[in-house]
Amino acid sequence: MGAGSVRARYLVYFQYLGTDFNGVAAVRGAQHAIGVQNYLEEAAERLNSVVPVKFTISSRTDAGVHALSNAAHLDVQRRSGRPPFSPEVLTQALNTHLRHPAIRVLQAFRVPSHFHARHAATSRTYLYRLATGCHRPDQLPVFERNRCWALRADCLDVAAMREAAQHLLGTHDFRAFQSAGSPATSPVRTLRRASVSPDPASSPFVLPEESRRLRFWSLEFESQSFLYRQVRRMTSVLVAVGLGALMPAQVKMILESQDPLGRHQSRVAPAHGLFLKAVLYEGFESTAQRSHVTRHAARSGQP
């Protein structure tokens, strides 16, 4: 490191379709599977940093899970005498060198050297998309495949699902909804929001003659952090309520059982219906996330 060399830390927001990846985390070694992080760090090699650029990912997502907006921090140290990249130039450079079309860097911010993308997050929101009225796989538009969970049922009891979701709100021991392999030291989490709503725009990819049969639904969950596969397990239980296989009060019993191996809570909703929608930080908010929050507030009537 030459004299005058400056290390700059950035918060970067990025999005991806998860279908082609073995999750967001980098896959090291000679395996054929590859993560979103592998492509991001490959693009960052072209920044000619004095030290290799490593992305510290805010929120890990499994294979097949998508992100409207994930986040990471990274350090870039340019050679002596060269000023740090502006956030705008960094964003443009990463996008220029990304070699996978299903990944896009949304925005970057310069942050203090002690900032940590995972620990500093104040809120994470996940969106799960459902489709009803799809009795055969070929009845789902090709543009929606791998982007929602297609249910054979013609309808869902949304009122019952909303009632059941109320039992999940607040601070609880969520180990009944935790999959094995979680690195979390405590199963206690605070669920701030759990909503079930029809997609007001349905899907732009549904033909008019199909629109009466196919309907789309959105489940959203917000917390500072989640346990491993907690959202997909909660979704599976709420879908069971919507299909009449569970009563809303039974969700409270499942939660209080703290048993992850029960008949209903051990089922995991498919990965391809899940989207990481937003990761929020105090003082930093991407323009993409701001538009998502605004749309949600408009739909719910919140200020």
Side-chain angles (χ1 to χ4, degrees):
M1 290 182 291
S5 179
V6 177
R7 178 178 297 186
R9 178 161 292 190
Y10 300 88
L11 166 65
V12 171
Y13 291 98
F14 58 100
Q15 64 181 193
Y16 48 90
L17 279 171
T19 307
D20 293 342
F21 306 110
N22 191 50
V24 67
V27 177
R28 310 297 184 187
Q31 299 102 319
H32 292 295
I34 198 159
V36 174
Q37 185 179 355
N38 291 100
Y39 284 97
L40 289 169
E41 290 180 351
E42 181 186 62
E45 290 178 6
R46 304 293 294 274
L47 300 175
N48 296 319
S49 175
V50 173
V51 293
V53 177
K54 299 297 181 185
F55 279 67
T56 299
I57 306 293
S58 161
S59 306
R60 294 185 63 144
T61 56
D62 283 345
V65 176
H66 317 291
L68 294 171
S69 183
N70 203 338
H73 77 254
L74 61 144
D75 294 327
V76 180
Q77 186 158 336
R78 304 193 72 191
R79 299 190 184 280
S80 179
R82 292 181 177 270
F85 291 114
S86 71
E88 294 77 17
V89 168
L90 179 73
T91 300
Q92 182 179 355
L94 290 173
N95 280 326
T96 297
H97 298 299
L98 269 169
R99 293 197 310 113
H100 201 294
I103 309 170
R104 180 168 73 107
V105 175
L106 299 169
Q107 196 170 7
F109 294 93
R110 184 80 183 271
V111 292
S113 60
H114 58 79
F115 178 91
H116 196 285
R118 184 162 61 87
H119 302 317
T122 59
S123 169
R124 293 173 173 89
T125 300
Y126 282 89
L127 163 71
Y128 199 99
R129 297 183 68 239
L130 304 169
T132 53
C134 190
H135 296 276
R136 300 192 316 271
D138 64 353
Q139 291 180 321
L140 192 67
V142 294
F143 304 104
E144 284 290 0
R145 293 175 190 177
N146 295 321
R147 291 168 177 81
C148 65
W149 180 9
L151 303 172
R152 294 183 178 181
D154 289 320
C155 61
L156 291 168
D157 187 341
V158 174
M161 294 172 72
R162 289 171 174 164
E163 181 183 345
Q166 293 300 304
H167 295 300
L168 300 174
L169 293 176
T171 302
H172 306 284
D173 183 322
F174 279 98
R175 74 182 69 195
F177 296 96
Q178 175 178 277
S179 287
S182 173
T185 56
S186 169
V188 176
R189 294 291 186 273
T190 300
L191 188 63
R192 300 170 182 166
R193 181 164 59 88
S195 65
V196 183
S197 59
D199 191 325
S202 184
S203 169
F205 308 119
V206 175
L207 297 174
E209 59 268 27
E210 298 177 310
S211 60
R212 292 182 182 179
R213 173 175 53 83
L214 287 174
R215 295 198 66 189
F216 291 83
W217 311 85
S218 297
L219 281 66
E220 287 195 17
F221 303 93
E222 181 189 355
S223 176
Q224 184 174 4
S225 62
F226 291 89
L227 300 172
Y228 181 47
R229 292 185 175 172
Q230 178 186 345
V231 172
R232 288 166 62 190
R233 282 175 170 248
M234 292 190 300
T235 295
S236 185
V237 164
L238 292 180
V239 167
V241 171
L243 296 175
L246 277 175
M247 299 297 291
Q250 289 178 274
V251 174
K252 185 173 187 287
M253 296 169 60
I254 289 172
L255 178 67
E256 293 174 346
S257 74
Q258 299 182 9
D259 176 15
L261 301 178
R263 174 186 172 191
H264 291 284
Q265 65 267 34
S266 62
R267 296 175 178 173
V268 181
H272 56 251
L274 182 61
F275 295 75
L276 174 59
K277 183 176 180 178
V279 184
L280 301 183
Y281 299 91
E282 194 70 40
F284 301 101
E285 183 182 344
S286 76
T287 53
Q289 292 185 153
R290 191 177 305 119
S291 66
H292 288 315
V293 171
T294 302
R295 283 199 296 269
H296 169 76
R299 289 201 304 267
S300 61
Q302 297 173 356

